[in-house]
Amino acid sequence: MPDSTSQPYRDPHEYDHRHSDVSGGWLRAAVFGAMDGLVTNIALIAGIGAAGAPRGTIILTGVAGLVAGAFSMALGEYTSVTTQNEQVDKEAAVERGALDRNPVGEMRELSGMFQEMGMTAETATKAASEVHGNPDRALRVHVTQELGVDPDSKPSPWIAAVSSFVMFSIGAVVPLLSFLFGSAELWLGLAIGGLGLMIAGSFAAYFTGRAWWRGALRQLLFGAIAVAATYLVGHLLGVNAA
């Protein structure tokens, strides 16, 4: 045990595990963007390919889908995350007002929440009193307990937007690869897209600790449903886009 002049003591338990960042907002946006890019362009290619479109039209449609989808995803992520953060700020302001108007009542409320978590009444009352000794700390604890979010650890809308834009673009270009390199075979583009879905699903499963093959098959199934629907539409319309 270190003396009072050395560095603060840290329990060895702190070093036996690590947690991933779950508050930055990048992982959800990246996974969503990659999956959406893959599914969107695989389905587009399937639909216009089934309708008889030539290689050039497939490439043009796929690139247009990539650009439009990437910007749409990025703007959507930025707006949604910003709106979510603004709502948290609004609720934090409401809570701050309640703390200013009725600090005793809010302290009793926090004590009750601590008791629901398993503390004795005496311990909960003492803990709530200590929390309320600092107004900023009291606000953070109340918001965290009542809303389930940390007002000081909000996701970044810019990180979410950039992650979504980049990963959508990567996902959307995968089913176009065979056409960009000269092939006109629809089945090959769809097969490469399906492989991309499986790889993306495997990576997503890695971050959540799930079996990689479950993630791969799940994403392949979801993509197959979208592809089947658009392929059927294209086949029924039978429009020659040449």
Side-chain angles (χ1 to χ4, degrees):
M1 187 83 173
D3 57 37
S4 59
T5 62
S6 62
Q7 293 294 324
Y9 174 71
R10 298 181 67 182
D11 193 291
H13 172 71
E14 296 181 42
Y15 302 98
D16 69 4
H17 68 284
R18 293 183 178 180
H19 294 289
S20 300
D21 177 18
V22 297
S23 62
W26 70 271
L27 180 58
R28 182 192 64 84
V31 171
F32 186 29
M35 297 304 179
D36 200 18
L38 281 161
V39 173
T40 296
N41 258 13
I42 294 172
L44 275 175
I45 290 170
I48 62 173
R55 172 176 168 269
T57 301
I58 292 177
I59 293 175
L60 176 61
T61 303
V63 172
L66 185 158
V67 174
F71 277 99
S72 177
M73 287 289 295
L75 293 173
E77 283 291 342
Y78 182 88
T79 302
S80 64
V81 173
T82 298
T83 301
Q84 177 184 329
N85 289 346
E86 290 172 347
Q87 184 179 25
V88 171
D89 290 338
K90 175 188 173 184
E91 296 303 322
V94 170
E95 190 64 32
R96 186 182 294 277
L99 288 168
D100 291 339
R101 291 190 306 271
N102 187 15
V104 175
E106 290 294 309
M107 186 168 64
R108 289 174 179 169
E109 179 186 40
L110 184 60
S111 175
M113 287 187 283
F114 285 161
Q115 290 179 56
E116 291 177 358
M117 295 169 60
M119 294 184 184
T120 63
E122 180 181 359
T123 301
T125 300
K126 182 178 180 181
S129 177
E130 291 184 1
V131 167
H132 274 250
N134 182 303
D136 292 333
R137 180 175 60 205
L139 175 64
R140 180 176 182 179
V141 172
H142 272 273
V143 173
T144 302
Q145 291 296 317
E146 295 180 32
L147 301 181
V149 295
D150 186 345
D152 296 332
S153 299
K154 294 177 292 188
S156 167
W158 284 108
I159 291 177
V162 172
S163 298
S164 182
F165 184 94
V166 171
M167 296 309 296
F168 184 98
S169 301
I170 293 174
V173 80
V174 169
L176 287 174
L177 290 175
S178 62
F179 298 100
L180 292 173
F181 281 100
S183 173
E185 298 293 335
L186 178 61
W187 70 267
L188 182 58
L190 297 181
I192 293 175
L195 179 61
L197 281 171
M198 295 183 69
I199 293 174
S202 299
F203 272 106
Y206 168 79
F207 281 106
T208 60
R210 305 277 179 163
W212 68 269
W213 59 271
R214 286 183 181 274
L217 292 179
R218 180 178 62 181
Q219 296 309 319
L220 182 62
L221 174 62
F222 291 165
I225 294 173
V227 168
T230 54
Y231 186 92
L232 179 61
V233 171
H235 180 72
L236 292 176
L237 291 178
V239 177
N240 192 330

